[in-house]
Amino acid sequence: MPSTELLAAARGARERAYAPYSDFHVGAAVETEEGAIIAGCNVENASYGLSICAERVALTRAVAEGHRAFRWIAVAGPEGADTTPCGACRQFMAEFNADMHVTFTTSDGVVETTLTKLLPHAFGDFRANV
Ligand code: THU
């Protein structure tokens, strides 16, 4: 189970989402192997394609703060919406842990799964590990 703290951090970050174009506010929070929690929100742009999802904001922020080992990510979307991570975010997560635990909010409640299930046979460039 993710700590309630992790989902709470995702929900807290959601409050800071900048999503004037879609009005779909999302927050995400990653938990490191050491137990640190780093959160992010989606940040949109008038040039729509430049918008970045909450998951990638949380991960890039965490990496910039010196973290690389992540065991869990929680994603909180609008009440009643199925907020599953997009394909680009799944690949982005796989860069750091192809079997990361993933929690996201849906119209049916909170779903807990793994990245292996969400992105089987993820591509990995193993030069990153050399
Ligand atoms: N979005 C996220 O931030 N995370 C998700 O898991 C789903 C989608 C954002 C992208 C865009 O700013 C808005 O939600 C609508 O797609």
Side-chain angles (χ1 to χ4, degrees):
M1 288 284 285
S3 60
T4 49
E5 195 189 345
L6 189 64
L7 196 53
R11 288 191 162 121
R14 184 175 177 268
E15 300 293 314
R16 297 184 290 279
Y18 177 73
Y21 303 103
S22 71
D23 201 32
F24 195 90
H25 295 221
V26 184
V30 287
E31 184 183 328
T32 70
E33 293 293 352
E34 300 79 30
I37 290 176
I38 298 96
C41 59
N42 56 333
V43 181
E44 298 187 343
N45 191 274
S47 179
Y48 301 165
L50 297 181
S51 300
I52 181 167
C53 297
E55 294 91 321
R56 277 175 287 153
V57 171
L59 284 165
T60 51
R61 182 180 175 196
V63 170
E65 290 180 7
H67 303 286
R68 291 188 183 177
F70 306 111
R71 60 182 174 206
W72 212 302
I73 186 164
V75 185
E79 188 77 33
D82 294 333
T83 308
T84 79
C86 78
C89 286
R90 294 177 195 198
Q91 179 65 31
F92 208 87
M93 293 171 200
E95 180 73 18
F96 300 101
N97 179 356
D99 199 27
M100 194 180 301
H101 290 269
V102 182
T103 297
F104 54 86
T105 57
T106 77
S107 51
D108 280 340
V110 175
V111 169
E112 284 183 11
T113 185
T114 63
L115 189 52
T116 302
K117 288 182 180 153
L118 292 175
L119 187 68
H121 306 289
F123 177 72
D125 182 343
F126 296 102
R127 285 176 300 182
N129 298 319
V130 172

